[in-house]
Amino acid sequence: DIQMTQSPSSLSASVGDRVTITCRASQSISDSLNWYQHKPGKAPKLLIYVASNLQSGVPSRFSGSGSGTDFTLTVSSVQPEDFATYYCQQSYSAPLTFGGGTKVEIK
Amino acid sequence: EVQLLESGGDLVQPGGSLRLSCAASGFTFSGYAMTWVRQAPGKGLEWVSGIGGSGDITYYADSVKGRFTISRDNSKNTLFLQMNSLRGEDTAVYYCAKRGSRGTNTNPVGYFDRWGQGTPVTVSS
């Protein structure tokens, strides 16, 4: 099974900060990496698919990059509504796997 | 508008069974793979199972293999998860999700662009 490791597990940021979250796969997964945002009591929301494709309706301050084993989610200017937990997920092979999550909190 | 509505979550004793349902609308259900993902209290998202558009392909996490069965009824636009031999570690909110359109829509190995609100399952005596 492919293991996904996210870092950091949590971070504090101020509104307007640039935030970067990394995700590393235990083997090469090409560009088969997706990012989700999850808020308590809500449905998870797809942000980025296939490494760098912005899901329709997602603000352009979110961006994704990477290939192979190392990937990055960047929020260029964090807004109040962005405080949530973020997960990466590999879609290279079954069983699908998620990273452990990164909780973004208000500083 | 795509809508996914889970139901069937409940309190059940260890060793018991439960069947979750996910009613889908707003898209051609048979044209998309579907998946179940869960979140245990205080934990992250965990993929549970996926099924192809016609139901011919299924995948399971090792943690549920042999105990859970995913299925779908395309005539009723409904996804199911039959959960048997339930354990305390199966306690979680269970989400159903629809596969995204990039690539082969009916392949359960993919990403998920629409999610339900979840249904809670508690396994406890």
Side-chain angles (χ1 to χ4, degrees), chain B residues 56-114:
Chain B
D56 53 340
I57 303 171
T58 58
Y59 295 111
Y60 298 93
D62 287 345
S63 58
V64 307
K65 200 173 295 182
R67 300 187 299 122
F68 290 12
T69 302
I70 191 172
S71 62
R72 62 192 298 161
D73 184 338
N74 286 345
S75 69
K76 296 182 178 179
N77 292 350
T78 305
L79 174 72
F80 302 101
L81 185 67
Q82 177 66 44
M83 305 187 295
N84 299 331
S85 302
L86 282 161
R87 307 166 179 166
E89 54 264 38
D90 296 318
T91 295
V93 175
Y94 285 72
Y95 299 95
C96 66
K98 166 191 166 289
R99 197 204 190 277
S101 300
R102 175 83 168 255
T104 305
N105 298 347
T106 55
N107 182 353
V109 178
Y111 65 96
F112 303 97
D113 64 353
R114 294 291 190 270

Side-chain angles (χ1 to χ4, degrees), chain A residues 1 34 36 38 41-44 46 49-50 53 55 87 89 91 94-96 98, chain B residues 37 39 43-45 47 59 62 95 102 108-117:
Chain A
D1 299 1
N34 314 294
Y36 302 87
H38 193 202
K42 302 289 189 180
L46 175 68
Y49 62 95
V50 192
N53 294 272
Q55 172 68 359
Y87 295 91
Q89 175 243 328
S91 51
L96 306 181
F98 286 89
Chain B
V37 173
Q39 184 178 36
K43 304 293 186 182
L45 298 177
W47 176 80
Y59 295 111
D62 287 345
Y95 299 95
R102 175 83 168 255
V109 178
Y111 65 96
F112 303 97
D113 64 353
R114 294 291 190 270
W115 296 63
Q117 293 293 321

